[in-house]
Amino acid sequence: MNLQEKFMELCLHYTKDRDLVQAMWLEIEKKYSGKGRHYHNLFHLENMFLELENVKSHIKDDHAVSFSVFYHDVIYDASSKSNEEKSASFAMERLQKIELNPDMVSRVEAQILATKSHHKSDDTDTNYLLDADLSILGKDSADYFDYTRKIRKEYALYPDILYKPGRKKVLKHFLELESIFKTEDFRDRYEQKARENLAAELNLL
């Protein structure tokens, strides 16, 4: 199932207004296809859904997590430090239009905000979302370094003298964590390779 079909089906559980849902999808598609979206694009969403499909039986509220995937990077500006807050409020506004119950809207808001710090949550669904978001870190080296090139392009407005120290700080932060991944499923699959990839990139900077 492609992303558009997935989004339509998801929303139609809560509203019968197909025109509204179509307009919401076109908005998401436009945002994620924007100029400068080299990594945080629709392909990133597809990969997250593929990762989450493998652990679907462990997820309590699949609908909330799916909405969080669709909206977690809907606002993305490499020069901004408030993308997650803006994405969360954007999601809340849109999901209220399809009359999603307030509890679920709050859950989606909290999950999107959690993607800012990537701290382990008391909520297992949030941890699966965070792990799917970071799964690229544990992919094979070719995919990992393709990702790093795309991230560099997204931060093209910063010269190396600014970009490299910031990137080093991010890599060191992840390497200093007791565990990069929050769930056993993702730890078993990706933790070791992620640490190898991060260390390899750090050595190149």
Side-chain angles (χ1 to χ4, degrees), residues 18-19 22 48 72 97 129 148 159 180:
R18 297 186 78 91
D19 290 341
Q22 178 68 13
M48 283 182 71
H72 81 289
K97 285 185 179 178
L129 174 77
T148 66
I180 295 164

Side-chain angles (χ1 to χ4, degrees), residues 40-58:
H40 292 92
N41 51 27
L42 293 171
F43 188 61
H44 172 52
L45 300 192
E46 283 175 11
N47 279 330
M48 283 182 71
F49 279 119
L50 284 172
E51 292 292 344
L52 290 166
E53 192 61 38
N54 294 325
V55 293
K56 205 168 184 178
S57 59
H58 300 303

